[in-house]
C-alpha cells in the first residue's frame, strides 16, 4: 500500500524526489542487434522479427486503404464522436501555437527574422497490445499536420492476426495519415530511422513505447536522428489544500497508477486530515478498480507526503518536476504562477488528469522522470525547426562591418574579417 | 584544391550531399573514463585532468571577481566597443523571441494555455586555445539571460599559465555571468552534468567543442541530461546567380573553410562563368590568407557545383541542409521562401556569413551535418521549457467528460474513466 511520509526533513527531499529505479534487464545488446539487422536486411528483417514477436507471418507491411476505411465500422458511434470531439479541442489548442514572427531591424540596414518550417518527414510510433493507445495518434498526428509535415509515417505492431487495432486506424484515417505500417518495437524505430524497401526513413521519431522502443530511440538519437524526448515511467503529483475533495484526489492517483507498475503517484498536502482521508478513499476505490493489480504495484512506489504549507508543497514539486501536476488549493491560479518545473498542470477540482490525457486540448506527450526541468511537452514546436534569416544592405554592412572585422581578428579568424573588408572596400568607392 | 562538379546526375545528389567522414579516433573509452573519474572524484579529478591537458597545476577552479574585472584592461577599446555593439544587436533579435501566449478556450469551461519558464540551471562551454571564441559567450549567454535562467555556469579551459582569455572574461563580465570555472574538455562537461565541490550541476549544457567535448555531451545526453544539439563540422553553402560577385563568394567560402580542416564549403550555381571566376578568386585570396594551411585542407573536402537552374540549386541545398546558406541571386527574398532545410540564411551581396557569426544579431550556434532537417539553431527557446496549463470548470467537465470517459474505457484505462465519473456524479446532484 502507499506510504505516508510525515514532515520529512528538507534535507531528505532530494532523495524522496528520486524516481524508484526499476530493475531493468539491459536491453542494449538486443536492441543493437535489431537495429543492425533492420539496417542491413530491411523488410526481410522486419518480417522475421514480426513473426518472432507477434507470431504473425506478415507479407505486406503497409496497411491498405480498405483496412483504414473499414476501421470505422468496427467502432461504436459513441467512441467515434468522442474521438472527433477530442480532435477538435486538440486542434484548437495546437493551432494557436503557430506563430509568425516579425522582422527585427537590429541596426539600420540589418534585418533579421525567424521562420518556422515543418520537418519534412516524421515518424510516429503507436504501441499496440491490449490497450491500444489511439489517443496518442491524435496527440502526435494533429501537431504534425498543423506544422505541415509533408510525410507522416505511422508504425504500430500488428496483433497475432496481423491487424492493427481499428481505433488506431480510425484516428489515423480522420487525420488523413495514410502511410501506416504493421511493425512494432525496436524494429519499427529502426525502420523509420534507416528506411527499408517499404518504409521511408524520417527526420524525427515520436511516440511512447516499451523499454526496447525507448532504448532504440536513445541509440538512434546518438546517431544524430532527432527524437521527441527521453522517456521514463509516467507520474502525477497532486498538491492539495484543506478544501480539496479526497475522493477526487484518490481517483486521480489511481488513474495515474493504472498506467503501469512502474508509475509513481504523489500527494503533497499540509493537511493531515486530508492525507488520511485520501488514504481511505484509495483503499475504497482500489477494491473496485478493474486494473487493481497494476495499481497496487505502482502504489508501492508512491507517497502521500505531509509538508508544512502549500508553499512547501510547491517547492517540493518544483524539485520533483512532475510530468502531471494537479493543484487543488484555495487559489490554484496564484499557486500555479510559482510552478517552474512540470509537464502539464491541472488547476482546480474539476481539472482531472484524464481530461488532459484525452480531450481538453493539451498534449499528453510530456516529460517524465524529472526531465520537465529541461524539456517541454510535445507541441507544434516539436514538428518544426526555426530557420533564421538576415538581409544586410550596403548601409547595414557599413554599420556593423567594422565591429565584425575587429571581433573576427581578435578570434584570429582573418578570412572572416576579409569577407567584410572586401565588401566594405567596394562600398568606399561609391 | 576545391573540386568542380559539372551537372551531376540528380541520382548522385544524395551521395554528393553526404558529409566527408573525418577519420576519427574512437574517443568513447577515454571520455567514459573521464566522466566516471569526475563523477567519483569531483574537483580532485578536474585538477588532475587540467594538469594533464593544459600543464597548469590549478588550485582554485573558480575565476575570481578580480580576474573578471581586470580583463577589461587587457582589451583594446576598439574590441570592447565592437563587442558591446554586437551584444546590442544580439539582444534586440533575441528579445523578440519572448512570446506570451494567449489562453485558449477549447470548449466552454475548458481553458488551456502555455507558459515559457526558464530552465533553472544552464551550463555554457566555451572552448579556449589560441582562437578564443569569446563571441560564443555572447551567443549562449544573451539568450540564457533573456530567458531568465537563474544560474548560469560557464566553463572554459585555462591556458598553461592558468588564465582564461580576457575577451572571454570581458564578455561574461558585461553579461553579469559570475560562475566561471577554469576547466575544459570532457571533464568540464562532466563537471556541469554531475556537479563537483566547486562546480554546480546544471539541467542543460550548451556550446561547441572538440571531439572529446562532443562525445561527452552525447554520452551525458543518453543519461537524460539535455544538450543544445548534436555537433558536427561547420559548413557553408552559397547559391549564386549570374550577377553575384565572385570575389565576395570566394571570401565567404574561405571564411568558412578557415574554421577547421574538416569544414566543408559549397558553391551551387547555374553559371559556369561565375563558377570559374570564383575558382580564380579562391586561388588569389588563398595566397594572401593567414590561415591558408587550414583553408587548403578543408577546400579539399569541398565543391563548386554547376546545376541547371537556381531552382535546382535550391533543391540540392534543401537536400544538403547547410548550417549556413548564402543566397546571392537576382531575387534572394523570393528564393529564400523555398528554403526548407538550413540553419541560418544570408540574403544578398552584403549579407556575409561573418556578419551573422558576430554582429547582425542572429545566433551563430547552428545545426551542422544535415541536422538542419530536424533541429533549429540556438534561441531563447533553447533556454526555456513550455509548460501547459488547463483549468476545467464544472461546466467544462460536463462538456468534455463523457468523451473522456468513452475514450478511456476504449483504451481499457478504467481508473482514468472513473476520475471523470466520480466528479460528474457530484455535479448531477447540483
Amino acid at each position: 500500500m502507499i506510504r505516508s511520509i510525515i514532515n520529512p526533513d528538507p534535507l531528505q527531499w532530494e532523495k524522496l524526489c528520486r524516481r524508484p529505479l526499476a530493475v531493468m534487464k539491459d536491453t542494449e545488446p538486443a536492441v543493437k542487434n535489431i537495429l543492425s539487422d533492420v539496417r542491413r536486411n530491411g523488410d526481410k528483417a522486419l518480417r522475421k522479427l514480426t513473426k518472432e514477436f507477434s507470431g504473425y507471418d506478415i507479407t505486406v507491411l503497409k496497411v491498405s486503404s480498405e483496412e483504414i476505411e473499414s476501421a470505422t465500422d468496427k467502432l461504436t458511434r459513441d467512441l467515434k464522436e468522442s474521438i472527433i470531439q477530442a480532435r477538435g479541442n486538440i486542434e484548437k489548442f495546437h493551432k494557436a501555437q503557430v506563430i509568425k514572427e516579425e522582422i527585427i531591424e537590429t541596426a539600420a540596414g540589418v534585418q533579421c527574422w525567424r521562420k518556422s518550417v515543418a520537418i519534412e518527414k516524421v515518424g510516429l510510433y503507436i504501441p499496440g497490445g491490449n490497450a491500444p493507445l489511439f489517443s496518442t495518434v491524435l496527440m502526435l498526428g494533429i501537431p504534425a499536420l498543423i506544422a505541415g509535415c509533408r510525410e507522416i509515417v505511422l508504425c504500430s505492431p500488428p496483433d497475432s492476426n496481423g491487424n492493427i487495432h481499428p481505433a488506431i486506424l480510425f484516428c489515423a484515417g480522420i487525420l488523413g495519415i495514410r502511410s501506416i505500417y504493421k511493425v512494432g518495437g525496436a524494429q519499427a524505430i529502426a525502420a523509420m530511422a534507416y528506411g527499408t524497401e517499404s518504409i521511408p526513413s524520417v527526420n524525427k521519431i515520436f511516440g511512447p513505447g516499451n523499454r526496447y522502443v525507448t532504448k532504440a530511440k536513445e541509440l538512434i538519437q546518438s546517431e544524430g536522428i532527432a527524437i521527441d524526448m527521453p522517456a521514463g515511467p509516467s507520474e502525477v503529483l497532486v498538491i492539495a489544500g484543506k478544501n480539496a475533495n479526497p475522493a477526487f484526489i484518490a481517483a486521480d492517483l489511481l488513474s495515474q497508477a493504472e498506467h503501469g507498475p512502474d508509475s509513481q503517484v504523489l500527494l503533497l498536502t499540509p493537511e493531515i486530515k486530508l492525507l488520511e482521508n485520501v488514504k481511505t478513499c484509495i483503499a475504497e476505490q482500489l477494491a473496485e478498480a478493474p486494473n487493481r493489480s497494476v495499481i497496487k504495484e505502482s502504489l508501492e512506489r508512491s507517497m502521500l507526503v505531509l509538508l508544512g504549507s502549500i508553499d512547501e508543497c510547491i517547492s517540493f514539486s518544483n524539485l520533483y518536476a512532475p510530468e502531471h501536476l494537479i493543484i487543488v488549493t484555495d487559489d490554484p491560479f496564484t499557486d500555479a504562477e510559482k510552478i517552474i518545473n512540470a509537464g502539464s498542470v491541472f488547476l482546480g477540482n474539476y481539472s482531472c488528469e484524464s481530461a488532459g490525457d484525452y480531450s481538453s486540448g493539451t498534449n499528453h506527450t510530456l516529460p517524465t522522470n524529472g526531465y520537465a526541468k529541461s524539456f517541454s511537452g510535445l507541441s507544434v514546436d516539436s514538428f518544426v525547426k526555426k530557420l533564421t534569416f538576415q538581409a544586410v544592405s550596403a548601409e547595414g554592412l557599413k554599420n556593423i562591418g567594422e565591429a565584425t572585422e575587429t571581433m573576427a581578428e581578435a578570434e584570429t579568424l582573418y578570412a572572416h574579417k576579409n569577407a567584410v573588408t572586401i565588401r566594405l572596400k567596394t562600398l568606399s568607392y561609391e
Side-chain angles (χ1 to χ4, degrees), chain A residues 220-288:
Chain A
I220 61 120
Q221 180 182 36
S222 65
E223 296 174 20
I225 296 160
I227 64 167
D228 46 1
M229 68 187 81
S234 198
E235 63 213 13
V236 70
L237 187 153
V238 180
I239 297 177
K242 59 181 176 309
N243 298 314
N245 182 320
F248 292 2
I249 294 172
D252 291 334
L253 297 176
L254 260 58
S255 77
Q256 184 56 42
E258 169 181 58
H259 268 300
D262 54 359
S263 292
Q264 194 182 39
V265 304
L266 281 85
L267 167 68
L268 309 182
T269 179
E271 308 292 333
I272 183 70
K273 189 142 185 271
L274 181 79
L275 187 148
E276 283 162 2
N277 288 339
V278 169
K279 200 163 191 170
T280 308
C281 292
I282 288 176
E284 285 167 13
Q285 293 179 22
L286 184 62
E288 308 288 317

Side-chain angles (χ1 to χ4, degrees), chain A residues 131-210:
Chain A
L133 297 184
F134 58 85
S135 60
T136 303
V137 179
L138 303 179
M139 295 294 179
L140 304 180
I142 291 170
L145 285 163
I146 292 171
C149 299
R150 193 170 57 70
E151 187 158 8
I152 302 175
V153 174
L154 189 155
C155 288
S156 192
D159 62 19
S160 57
N161 298 313
N163 297 315
I164 290 179
H165 194 282
I168 291 177
L169 296 182
F170 176 77
C171 288
I174 60 171
L175 297 181
I177 297 172
R178 289 280 174 270
S179 294
I180 309 173
Y181 299 91
K182 296 174 183 176
V183 56
Q187 56 272 28
I189 305 303
M192 296 191 279
Y194 307 132
T196 69
E197 299 89 332
S198 300
I199 303 180
S201 67
V202 300
N203 307 123
K204 188 170 182 178
I205 297 176
F206 299 79
N210 63 21

